[in-house]
Amino acid sequence: MVEDNRYCAVCVNDMHLVVMLMPYIEKELEKGEKIVTIFEKSLKEETDLFYTKVNLEKSKKTKLKRIDWTENTASEKEILDIKNKTVIVKGSYDYINKVNKCLNDKVNKVINCFELNIFEENSREILKCHDYILNTSGIKKISDMFHMNWSKNSILT
């Protein structure tokens, strides 16, 4: 089911992102959702460490390990051909924007993952372009988490 909502996540570092994503991905896989990752830099080392530190049922761990946590090697055409899947994108601000331009409207959901320093530099644009934010407590509506005054010099709270 293709959604019209836009999602983002903000992480302190790659390990924080992995820890934050795993419960969400696990729930999505249980629902039968297919997950595709498009990463500028591999998260394989962090996910391997996660699997050794967290006590998960073998079947859940096996499902999570099927996800490709390495850096993206897909061409723009291959990205354009993705459909009926949830796509998780992580990288620089420019990389995320470039990937999003390549994605078609047949993907189920896109979750753009930003590191904190990127979010801080581009918070207004990021928040304006997304409806929901994924964090350690799950998915929250941005309007419920941030009271936004869009004037140029105002502070987001």
Side-chain angles (χ1 to χ4, degrees), residues 38-56:
I38 303 177
F39 298 146
E40 189 171 27
K41 181 183 143 246
S42 175
L43 297 178
K44 180 132 178 53
E45 190 175 306
E46 288 80 3
T47 56
D48 289 346
L49 179 61
F50 175 86
Y51 297 135
T52 64
K53 300 290 183 185
V54 177
N55 186 17
L56 282 174

Side-chain angles (χ1 to χ4, degrees), residues 28-88:
E28 292 298 299
L29 292 173
E30 288 297 316
K31 291 189 234 174
E33 186 64 33
K34 294 183 179 16
I35 309 282
V36 172
T37 60
I38 303 177
F39 298 146
E40 189 171 27
K41 181 183 143 246
S42 175
L43 297 178
K44 180 132 178 53
E45 190 175 306
E46 288 80 3
T47 56
D48 289 346
L49 179 61
F50 175 86
Y51 297 135
T52 64
K53 300 290 183 185
V54 177
N55 186 17
L56 282 174
E57 292 176 21
K58 188 174 180 175
S59 63
K60 289 180 181 183
K61 195 180 284 193
T62 301
K63 284 181 183 180
L64 289 169
K65 283 185 172 187
R66 288 187 194 136
I67 294 172
D68 183 7
W69 295 96
T70 60
E71 68 274 358
N72 175 47
T73 57
S75 68
E76 287 183 19
K77 181 179 179 346
E78 290 170 316
I79 293 171
L80 182 62
D81 289 341
I82 297 171
K83 59 184 172 184
N84 302 320
K85 295 179 177 155
T86 293
V87 180
I88 301 173

